[in-house]
Amino acid sequence: MNKITCPVCEIEFIKDLPDDAYYEEHCYDCSYWISKTNLRPEDEARRVIVAGVHYMVGEPGTIKGHGGALFQIAFHDGRRVNTDNLWCNGFIASEFRDLLSDNAVFIEDVTAAGDVKYQADDIPF
């Protein structure tokens, strides 16, 4: 097996996963973040980035992320979303932070908002 040097992070690696796990000659980690920079338009509204951590609001009817914990999200574009289905995708690698910058903040005290129910009207499913 040939070692390849990732053009982004410059780590040497061997492609030992299925070909679709890699983007061209990039390592798995960089390929993962490249895929996050190329979301389908309908998925873009589900993207939540807070303090350099990438999340996605889960689709209705699926297993719930964070065990169904309630999150209230204020997007920088003015949208507010309450969800009990938020999936963490990890801390964004430094090489991708310029492409994947924060787009929201969590509103810390959801109990102060009263009886908050699941609502994601601003997210197309």
Side-chain angles (χ1 to χ4, degrees):
M1 296 185 148
N2 295 333
K3 285 189 176 182
I4 301 167
T5 301
C6 178
V8 174
C9 67
E10 299 180 349
I11 291 175
E12 283 190 353
F13 70 100
I14 296 171
K15 286 188 176 183
D16 56 358
L17 297 171
D19 286 342
D20 63 353
Y22 302 99
Y23 178 77
E24 296 176 353
E25 299 298 308
H26 296 78
C27 69
Y28 176 79
D29 290 338
C30 288
S31 295
Y32 176 80
W33 291 113
I34 289 168
S35 74
K36 298 298 182 200
T37 67
N38 293 307
L39 292 180
R40 300 176 309 177
E42 58 269 25
D43 291 334
E44 190 64 41
R46 298 176 40 231
R47 177 200 312 270
V48 179
I49 303 175
V50 176
V53 179
H54 193 284
Y55 304 86
M56 293 292 287
V57 174
E59 295 186 20
T62 61
I63 296 172
K64 295 182 178 186
H66 284 94
L70 182 64
F71 289 86
Q72 192 171 31
I73 304 161
F75 286 92
H76 297 333
D77 65 9
R79 292 178 296 141
R80 287 209 169 201
V81 171
N82 302 323
T83 184
D84 61 354
N85 191 6
L86 190 68
W87 289 88
C88 182
N89 304 131
F91 191 76
I92 298 167
S94 60
E95 295 88 353
F96 294 92
R97 288 192 199 130
D98 288 341
L99 297 171
L100 297 167
S101 57
D102 288 4
N103 69 348
V105 295
F106 292 126
I107 299 170
E108 295 294 327
D109 187 7
V110 294
T111 59
D115 186 20
V116 180
K117 301 273 192 261
Y118 175 84
Q119 176 271 331
D121 294 337
D122 291 333
I123 298 177
F125 291 106

